[in-house]
Amino acid sequence: MLPDGNFLPPMQLNCLEKEAKKRIEKKFSARTVTIGRVAHLTQPKQLHYDLGRAACQFRNQCMRGCPYGGYFSTQSATLPAAMKTGKLTLRPDSIVSEVLYDEKKGKATGVRIIDQNTKEVREYYARIIFLNASAFASTSILMNSKSHRFPNGMGNDSDQLGRNIMDHHLAVGAAGTFDGMEDQYYYGRRANGVYVPRYRNWGNDKRDYVRGFGYQGGAGRGGWGRGNGMDDFGADFKESLTTPGPWTMSLGGFGEMIADPNNRMTLSPDQKDKWGYL
Ligand code: SF4
């Protein structure tokens, strides 16, 4: 099951993924094969264009940062939106070392930062502070934010800060080559894969373990890079790699870990980072 919502039009399954979907859903009624849900603009609206964003170009280089703003990111979406208000001041090169707590007011009042170039330490104050430094860095900052009120780190009365670290397992799955459909291809490099939502321990499916897993994967045709694993050389070999290779499809399982308070992170009491803090 996947939660519903208001989505832009989905990216399309390619022909082999459609075939796999047909066969899997026919054989297993409780399983769904669908396109992944990604934060890419397939059909931008005016509000996206107003922020300087455009439709995804299907080049699958999102990890390098998207020059079109086709992929949601702070840089492409929320910072431009904040900038448009005229009330945003960006303070780059700033490394937050701790959140400041005012004992008299009984609340967080600001942050202390280190300028990464000058090493200058400064403090900034605000009515509301959002700590968005990612899971581990935000936790580190809170752990480093010690005060008389919070001797073990801000908000850590429960001693739960840094505990119950969860990831998911992966690399369990299967892949295969498909014979046929050699006259078919697909558009661009879709920045997305197929998804099989969890069906184990769900509804009428009961197992002798808790939770479950879903699958992620996709199908495609071999590109020129497949030559890396082949013993050959010369013009004919090079030419052969300019045409699409066979269809392959893979599916890999993803299951979340069970929360365990002993799976935790702590700050070293004597080793500091290069800034002399955490
Ligand atoms: S594939 Fe990724 S990098 Fe390329 S346009 Fe789409 S979102 Fe941007």
Side-chain angles (χ1 to χ4, degrees):
M1 282 290 286
L2 278 175
D4 226 341
N6 294 320
F7 298 103
L8 293 176
M11 292 178 178
Q12 296 301 304
L13 300 177
N14 63 39
C15 58
L16 181 52
E17 291 163 350
K18 282 181 186 156
E19 181 65 21
K21 173 182 171 69
K22 200 165 76 187
R23 294 192 195 182
I24 291 171
E25 292 180 358
K26 185 171 172 207
K27 197 165 168 66
F28 304 99
S29 61
R31 301 184 196 181
T32 301
V33 180
T34 186
I35 190 74
R37 287 180 180 169
V38 285
H40 291 65
L41 297 180
T42 51
Q43 200 176 84
K45 297 177 185 291
Q46 192 56 45
L47 67 100
H48 301 118
Y49 291 126
D50 290 346
L51 295 175
R53 305 182 64 191
C56 172
Q57 307 293 305
F58 281 55
R59 306 193 312 171
N60 200 13
Q61 295 293 357
C62 323
M63 73 292 285
R64 295 185 189 171
C66 179
Y68 307 96
Y71 179 40
F72 174 88
S73 70
T74 308
Q75 287 76 10
S76 73
T78 39
L79 283 182
M83 199 67 88
K84 271 172 78 81
T85 66
K87 296 178 181 170
L88 175 70
T89 305
L90 269 182
R91 208 313 182 166
D93 300 314
S94 309
I95 297 162
V96 173
S97 59
E98 60 189 286
V99 178
L100 302 170
Y101 180 76
D102 188 312
E103 305 272 352
K104 284 202 194 94
K105 290 182 181 162
K107 56 187 272 194
T109 49
V111 290
R112 183 167 295 135
I113 65 117
I114 309 155
D115 186 295
Q116 71 160 343
N117 299 316
T118 65
K119 311 278 192 305
E120 181 193 3
V121 175
R122 297 184 69 153
E123 293 179 355
Y124 289 93
Y125 297 92
R127 278 189 299 125
I128 304 172
I129 299 152
F130 295 92
L131 199 51
N132 300 322
S134 81
F136 285 94
S138 290
T139 304
S140 303
I141 292 167
L142 287 173
M143 286 176 162
N144 204 42
S145 304
K146 291 182 178 165
S147 58
H148 182 67
R149 167 67 185 81
F150 294 111
N152 296 320
M154 185 172 280
N156 197 21
D157 289 349
S158 60
D159 190 33
Q160 290 302 300
L161 198 57
R163 294 186 184 270
N164 300 300
I165 294 173
M166 293 165 71
D167 206 331
H168 54 70
H169 70 70
L170 77 166
V172 182
T177 303
F178 183 82
D179 295 328
M181 296 186 178
E182 272 142 24
D183 58 341
Q184 296 184 65
Y185 202 65
Y186 39 84
Y187 169 74
R189 298 189 183 97
R190 189 189 63 199
N192 197 356
V194 302
Y195 190 48
V196 182
R198 173 181 162 184
Y199 53 87
R200 281 282 178 257
N201 275 334
W202 189 264
N204 295 326
D205 187 281
K206 302 276 185 255
R207 303 281 152 166
D208 60 356
Y209 55 86
V210 295
R211 305 280 179 89
F213 53 88
Y215 283 103
Q216 299 176 34
R221 296 191 67 171
W224 60 265
R226 69 189 188 277
N228 287 336
M230 295 161 77
D231 294 331
D232 212 340
F233 67 99
D236 288 348
F237 175 59
K238 194 174 154 192
E239 186 59 30
S240 74
L241 295 178
T242 64
T243 57
W247 282 96
T248 57
M249 181 157 183
S250 64
L251 284 174
F254 284 76
E256 68 184 22
M257 289 167 55
I258 306 298
D260 179 345
N262 297 314
N263 193 20
R264 64 182 302 199
M265 59 171 281
T266 56
L267 296 184
S268 168
D270 39 54
Q271 288 184 308
K272 301 290 175 193
D273 67 9
K274 67 191 270 194
W275 315 107
Y277 276 88
L278 304 176

